[in-house]
């Protein structure tokens, strides 16, 4: 055949030139096919070239050459049934064409081949009057692949696998190329993608490099695939990241997987829900691997260009994708940022011959604890406040290894946040005991600034503080750290209910009031509050004292009242100012309101089995000591309320630290004083447990201790 002879001559010419240019035989054959198939006037030679690529160049593909595969495919054609109809194909093929090796190679061995074969959406024929829908050519590719993999011909399977390996090599060179959208979808639909680490990695790396245009192209193509199948892509990508994290992959490999998850998340809400879940294995790795934390922080560009919430280009670090990280991991990055800042400050100090300490030493007297803290903390520089805190109680011996700082923080915040101190209000009707800012306090606003500083310092030193603020406070602190305008975060009636259910009920009654209600209420656009025992009124708008609230203006009145009530006034601004002094780094911008509350207050979830595993035994106790076994038996039998009391008795907090109780130090030491109750040193998370050796006595004494005493500060 003349066309075949011409094809053979031309193929050899181009193939030899490719080899001479330094390409290997396999790469040269693939490049030759792509070049000749795209040349004008060569369409009639296409099939001959595909055959020549396998047979005439003697290129080995797997254990058999493609040429040998082609020789036997004709007799297999009639026996092979494919799971697709001719009408489903995005291009017109003769029946049975997918049972030929060259056609498989042509369609699957290159990005352009997959785009030509499966790149168009097609209209499926349906019964009369039935609704029609577009179904993408990617679906055809999936059916073809499944038929080949399930079929009887091993040589066709080898052809397919090697074709995809060729395509993956091209994808490596075309990372983030919008023209690869069809290829990405075809590969993500491949049933064996998860078992081929090389193919999976190539797909993930290439897809993750997408910019905005490539994301749009991929999204358009992906939406032609069934939603349930798309969701499986997200699970596969999350599993890939999990495997990488568990096997010690470096930051670069983990970043590729995170980038791909981000691209997938933009397709639709279902994929977003899967892809934007925190990855537990990755977060466990970050808690243990300091090198990974440092690498991720070092490569992070906090000013990455974004289009809304979407990166305009691939992220530079795991920190570019904060939705993968839990609060504990973000806390580690906060500390890494602080250490970096302190290291820079230390270098500057050395250059100035200034021998500043790497930690902040705070000396206080117990009897004037708040006054001493106010003077030293408010007057310190922002950098000093971000150093590790060391506390000294004047007149007391002992070196602060964390316990004394913990004790100071518990004492100071307990005093300042107590409603009896006058700085904060607490609604008697609020079972959750939320605190809000008193508009008029005997204390100056500088003490509110001190509270903000203490919360920030507590976070930097991993100290939990019982600060039961409403969700609005955490939201506004995060908005401020993220450089968002606090005016954009309008408070709502739901926020009022979080602070004061009684006030919220009154406002809802106004909204529901009829004409008779307003006629009897004499309500005006004013708000009143208690100021040192006297009622003080403030106008909610100009002339508010003379403006009556009617049914038509009730919604306006409630809106203005909510804004006034939840503004917090100058006390809140001072509190915000103090917190801002410590929360001045880039990582703070990544925190969600829930993250911030967890960092300050800890988690309500108590895993007491993890606490038991983390326990350390001293002074003659061991894990299998009889009284120790009795203690844990009692602990696991307690109801949740008593378990919380026990935790507060031992640690001073009724919540678990970030990362859970497995990351909480807990020491149980033996005492021979059987006539005494168990006691604790909360600053050291240390329980002194007499060796009762009796289950009933252990339970009785422990319950008396935790019910009669909620805390037990002291040095050992």
């Amino acid at each position: 055949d003349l066309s075949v002879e011409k094809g053979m001559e031309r193929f050899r010419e181009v193939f030899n030139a490719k080899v001479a240019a330094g390409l290997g035989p396999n790469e040269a054959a693939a490049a030759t096919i792509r070049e000749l198939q795209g040349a004008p006037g060569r369409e009639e030679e296409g099939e001959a070239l595909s055959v020549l690529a396998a047979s005439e160049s003697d290129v080995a593909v797997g254990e058999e050459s493609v040429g040998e595969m082609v020789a036997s495919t004709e007799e297999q054609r009639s026996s092979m049934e494919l799971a697709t109809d001719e009408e489903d194909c995005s291009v017109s093929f003769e029946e049975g064409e997918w049972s030929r090796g060259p056609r498989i190679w042509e369609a699957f061995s290159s990005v352009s081949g997959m785009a030509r074969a499966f790149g168009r959406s097609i209209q499926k024929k349906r019964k009369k009057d039935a609704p029609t829908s577009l179904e993408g050519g990617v679906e055809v590719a999936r059916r073809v692949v499944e038929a080949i993999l399930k079929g009887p011909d091993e040589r066709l399977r080898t052809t397919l696998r090697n074709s995809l390996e060729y395509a993956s090599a091209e994808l490596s060179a075309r990372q983030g190329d919008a023209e690869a959208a069809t290829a990405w979808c075809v590969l993500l639909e491949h049933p064996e993608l998860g078992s081929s680490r090389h193919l999976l990695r190539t797909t993930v790396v290439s897809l993750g490099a997408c910019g905005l245009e490539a994301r749009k192209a991929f999204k358009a193509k992906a939406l032609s695939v069934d939603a349930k199948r798309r969701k499986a892509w997200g699970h596969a990508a999350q599993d890939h990241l999990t495997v990488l994290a568990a096997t010690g992959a470096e930051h670069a490999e983990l970043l590729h997987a995170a980038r791909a998850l981000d691209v997938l998340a933009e397709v639709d809400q279902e994929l977003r829900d899967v892809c934007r879940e925190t990855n537990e294995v990755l977060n466990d790795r970050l808690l243990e691997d300091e090198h990974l934390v440092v690498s991720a922080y070092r490569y992070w560009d906090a000013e990455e260009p974004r289009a809304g919430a979407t990166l305009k280009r691939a992220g530079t670090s795991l920190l570019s994708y904060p939705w993968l990280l839990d609060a504990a991991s973000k806390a580690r990055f906060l500390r890494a940022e602080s250490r970096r800042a302190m290291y820079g400050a230390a270098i500057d100090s050395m250059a100035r011959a200034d021998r500043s300490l790497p930690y902040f030493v705070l000396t206080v007297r117990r009897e004037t604890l708040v006054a001493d803290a106010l003077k030293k903390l408010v007057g310190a520089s922002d950098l000093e406040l971000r150093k590790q805190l060391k506390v000294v109680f004047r007149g007391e011996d002992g070196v602060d290894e964390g316990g004394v700082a913990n004790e100071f923080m518990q004492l100071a915040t307990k005093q300042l946040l107590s409603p009896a101190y006058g700085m904060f209000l607490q609604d008697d009707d609020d079972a959750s005991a939320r605190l809000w800012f008193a508009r008029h306090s005997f204390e100056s606003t500088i003490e509110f600034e001190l509270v903000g500083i203490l919360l920030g310092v507590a976070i930097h030193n991993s100290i939990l503080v019982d600060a039961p603020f409403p969700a609005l406070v955490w939201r506004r602190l995060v908005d401020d750290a993220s450089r968002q305008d606090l005016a954009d975060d309008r408070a709502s009636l739901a926020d009022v209910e979080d602070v004061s259910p009684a006030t919220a009920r009154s406002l809802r009654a106004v909204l529901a009031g009829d004409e008779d209600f307003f006629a009897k209420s004499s309500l005006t656009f004013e708000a009143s509050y208690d100021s040192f025992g006297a009622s003080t009124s403030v106008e909610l708008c100009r002339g508010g004292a003379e403006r009556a609230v009617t049914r038509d203006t009730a919604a306006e009145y409630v809106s203005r009242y909510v804004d006034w009530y939840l503004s917090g006034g100058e006390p809140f601004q001072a509190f915000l100012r103090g917190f801002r002094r410590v929360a001045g780094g880039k990582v703070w911008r990544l925190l969600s309101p829930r993250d911030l509350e967890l960092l300050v207050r800890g988690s309500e979830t108590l895993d007491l089995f993890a606490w038991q595993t983390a326990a350390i035994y001293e002074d003659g106790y061991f894990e299998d000591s009889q009284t120790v076994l009795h203690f844990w038996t009692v602990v696991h039998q307690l109801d949740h309320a008593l378990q919380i009391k026990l935790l507060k008795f031992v640690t001073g907090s009724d919540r678990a630290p970030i990362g859970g109780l497995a990351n909480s130090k807990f020491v149980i030491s033996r005492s021979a004083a059987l006539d005494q109750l168990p006691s604790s040193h909360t600053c050291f998370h240390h329980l002194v447990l007499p060796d009762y050796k009796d289950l009933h006595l252990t339970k009785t004494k422990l319950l008396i201790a935790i019910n009669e005493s909620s805390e037990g500060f002291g040095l050992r």
Side-chain angles (χ1 to χ4, degrees):
D1 185 80
L2 185 59
S3 65
V4 172
E5 288 182 11
K6 289 181 178 178
M8 291 173 61
E9 292 176 2
R10 180 60 178 156
F11 180 87
R12 291 192 184 97
E13 178 183 346
V14 176
F15 176 80
N16 290 334
K18 300 290 183 185
V19 173
L23 293 181
N26 286 0
E27 294 174 293
T32 301
I33 290 173
R34 288 195 292 272
E35 180 176 325
L36 296 184
Q37 285 179 333
R42 300 276 179 183
E43 292 82 1
E44 72 278 8
E45 300 173 1
E47 183 171 310
L49 291 170
S50 297
V51 175
L52 288 170
S55 58
E56 295 299 325
S57 66
D58 294 325
V59 177
V61 181
E63 297 181 357
E64 303 177 75
S65 71
V66 173
E68 293 171 333
M69 298 176 198
V70 173
S72 63
T73 54
E74 292 300 324
E75 60 190 66
Q76 297 284 343
R77 184 182 302 181
S78 60
S79 63
M80 183 174 183
E81 296 180 0
L82 295 173
T84 183
D85 299 326
E86 183 180 350
E87 68 184 40
D88 287 333
C89 296
S90 60
V91 290
S92 297
F93 295 123
E94 295 179 2
E95 186 175 355
E97 188 170 1
W98 286 116
S99 63
R100 292 186 294 158
R103 191 67 194 98
I104 296 169
W105 177 270
E106 178 187 354
F108 288 98
S109 65
S110 67
V111 169
S112 58
M114 282 186 265
R116 285 195 302 270
F118 312 114
R120 287 182 296 158
S121 297
I122 50 88
Q123 186 80 29
K124 287 192 68 177
K125 296 178 182 178
R126 295 183 179 271
K127 294 181 180 179
K128 188 177 181 180
D129 299 329
T132 58
S133 66
L134 285 176
E135 187 167 334
V138 176
E139 172 72 9
V140 177
R142 181 182 65 81
R143 295 179 184 177
V144 169
V145 170
E146 286 182 347
I148 293 172
L149 294 177
K150 294 177 181 178
D153 196 329
E154 177 62 32
R155 288 171 292 184
L156 287 180
R157 285 193 287 276
T158 303
T159 302
L160 174 65
R161 288 166 182 151
N162 284 290
S163 297
L164 293 175
E165 288 295 327
Y166 268 87
S168 71
E170 184 180 355
L171 278 177
S172 295
R174 300 178 65 169
Q175 294 183 19
D177 189 337
E179 294 182 7
T182 299
W184 289 324
C185 292
V186 170
L187 289 170
L188 286 167
E189 282 286 86
H190 186 21
E192 294 184 349
L193 181 66
S195 59
S196 173
R197 294 196 65 179
H198 171 68
L199 192 60
L200 178 59
R201 181 187 182 279
T202 302
T203 305
V204 164
V205 172
S206 176
L207 179 62
C210 282
L212 281 179
E213 292 305 315
R215 284 171 183 253
K216 292 177 182 177
F218 173 70
K219 178 178 180 177
K221 179 56 59 180
L223 287 174
S224 70
V225 179
D226 179 74
K228 290 184 178 179
R229 301 197 63 81
R230 290 199 305 267
K231 193 173 182 179
W233 300 354
H235 288 300
Q238 280 280 16
D239 291 345
H240 178 58
L241 176 59
T242 296
V243 170
L244 290 176
T247 54
E250 292 293 326
H251 176 260
E253 284 294 317
L254 296 168
L255 177 59
H256 288 316
R259 287 170 171 173
L261 282 166
D262 187 48
V263 174
L264 290 170
E266 294 301 315
V267 174
D268 66 2
Q269 188 59 48
E270 284 195 349
L271 259 178
R272 179 183 293 264
D273 291 343
V274 173
C275 295
R276 294 209 164 181
E277 293 178 349
T278 56
N279 190 290
E280 291 185 9
V281 176
L282 174 62
N283 285 289
D284 289 344
R285 169 85 181 278
L286 287 168
L287 287 177
E288 301 170 355
D289 192 338
E290 182 66 22
H291 172 71
L292 180 59
V293 172
V294 172
S295 297
Y297 183 81
R298 179 186 301 140
Y299 292 119
W300 183 41
D301 176 9
E303 306 300 333
E304 291 167 312
R306 293 177 177 268
T310 302
L311 288 167
K312 288 186 177 180
R313 56 173 171 77
T316 56
S317 161
L318 289 174
L319 281 164
S320 304
Y321 309 103
W323 33 266
L324 284 171
L325 310 176
D326 61 17
S329 293
K330 292 173 186 176
R332 289 216 67 185
F333 284 114
L334 283 174
R335 288 191 285 274
E337 184 173 54
S338 295
R339 286 195 300 270
R340 191 180 183 94
M342 285 187 280
Y343 177 76
I347 297 297
D348 292 341
S349 296
M350 291 173 63
R352 300 192 306 267
D354 175 17
R355 297 183 179 181
S356 61
L357 296 173
Y359 39 79
F360 181 68
V361 179
L362 176 62
T363 303
V364 295
R365 295 163 292 181
R366 287 186 181 271
E367 59 274 14
T368 56
L369 185 141
V370 169
D372 291 347
L374 182 67
K375 181 179 179 180
K376 189 72 180 284
L377 291 173
V378 174
S381 68
D382 294 356
L383 182 60
E384 288 286 306
L385 293 175
R386 295 171 194 167
K387 293 181 177 181
Q388 182 182 354
L389 178 65
K390 297 281 188 181
V391 175
V392 176
F393 283 108
R394 187 171 296 171
E396 298 182 16
D397 295 329
V399 177
D400 185 7
E401 296 180 355
V404 182
N406 187 8
E407 180 181 0
F408 158 76
M409 195 66 70
Q410 303 300 333
L411 291 171
T413 55
K414 181 178 180 181
Q415 181 175 340
L416 288 166
L417 298 179
S418 171
Y421 197 71
M423 292 175 60
F424 294 92
L425 304 175
Q426 194 170 55
D427 194 327
D428 294 335
D429 191 36
D430 186 0
S432 59
R434 300 296 189 187
L435 296 176
W436 194 244
F437 300 82
R439 289 192 167 271
H440 284 280
S441 168
F442 288 107
E443 309 305 327
S444 65
T445 56
I446 199 170
E447 299 217 4
F448 287 97
E449 182 177 343
L450 174 62
V451 174
I453 290 173
L454 287 173
L455 292 193
V457 171
I459 292 174
H460 271 292
N461 288 271
S462 303
I463 298 173
L464 296 184
V465 172
D466 187 16
F469 290 116
L472 180 64
V473 169
W474 308 116
R475 203 163 71 231
R476 285 179 172 172
L477 289 175
V478 166
D479 287 347
D480 183 70
S482 303
R483 301 178 182 175
Q484 297 182 34
D485 188 350
L486 296 185
D488 294 338
D489 183 14
R490 294 294 300 275
S492 68
L493 197 52
D495 292 316
V496 175
E497 186 162 24
D498 194 22
V499 174
S500 172
T503 303
R505 284 196 297 272
S506 297
L507 293 175
R508 285 197 173 92
V510 172
L511 291 174
D514 55 18
E515 296 294 347
D516 187 54
F517 169 85
F518 291 106
K520 293 179 179 179
S521 67
S522 302
L523 195 62
T524 60
F525 275 74
E526 288 182 293
S528 61
Y529 59 93
D530 182 76
S531 176
F532 309 130
S535 179
T536 302
S537 296
V538 60
E539 291 186 331
L540 298 177
C541 62
R542 180 173 295 181
E546 305 300 326
R547 183 184 176 191
V549 179
T550 66
R551 187 172 184 178
D552 292 336
T553 60
E556 180 189 352
Y557 168 80
V558 169
S559 177
R560 289 180 179 276
Y561 190 97
V562 168
D563 288 344
W564 168 81
Y565 185 79
L566 294 179
S567 68
E570 182 55 31
F572 178 78
Q573 294 303 317
F575 167 76
L576 183 63
R577 187 165 57 249
F579 185 79
R580 186 186 296 144
R581 293 186 58 193
V582 189
K586 299 181 295 183
V587 179
W588 289 91
R589 306 177 202 169
L590 306 183
L591 298 178
S592 69
R594 178 59 178 161
D595 290 334
L596 185 56
E597 184 177 10
L598 284 172
L599 289 174
V600 173
R601 302 189 65 197
S603 171
E604 295 172 309
T605 302
L606 305 184
D607 184 352
L608 295 178
F609 288 101
W611 203 30
Q612 180 175 355
T613 302
I616 300 171
Y617 304 98
E618 295 181 351
D619 299 338
Y621 272 154
F622 300 95
E623 184 179 359
D624 57 353
S625 298
Q626 188 176 33
T627 299
V628 168
L629 296 175
H630 288 160
F631 169 78
W632 287 114
T633 298
V634 171
V635 169
H636 294 303
Q637 290 176 348
L638 297 177
D639 61 33
H640 186 65
L642 287 174
Q643 288 175 343
I644 289 176
K645 282 190 173 183
L646 171 64
L647 182 65
K648 189 165 187 178
F649 177 74
V650 174
T651 68
S653 171
D654 59 1
R655 295 189 173 210
I658 290 295
L661 290 173
N663 296 315
S664 175
K665 179 183 178 182
F666 180 27
V667 177
I668 302 177
S669 65
R670 179 181 178 276
S671 168
L674 302 183
D675 58 332
Q676 294 184 1
L677 294 173
S679 60
S680 64
H681 305 294
T682 55
C683 56
F684 295 105
H685 294 193
H686 176 204
L687 175 67
V688 180
L689 180 65
D691 194 2
Y692 299 120
K693 290 187 167 51
D694 179 79
L695 177 61
H696 177 72
L697 185 59
T698 301
K699 181 175 182 178
T700 301
K701 296 285 191 178
L702 184 63
L703 289 176
I704 293 173
I706 64 176
N707 281 311
E708 292 187 358
S709 175
S710 61
E711 58 193 30
F713 295 110
L715 293 176
R716 208 178 160 212

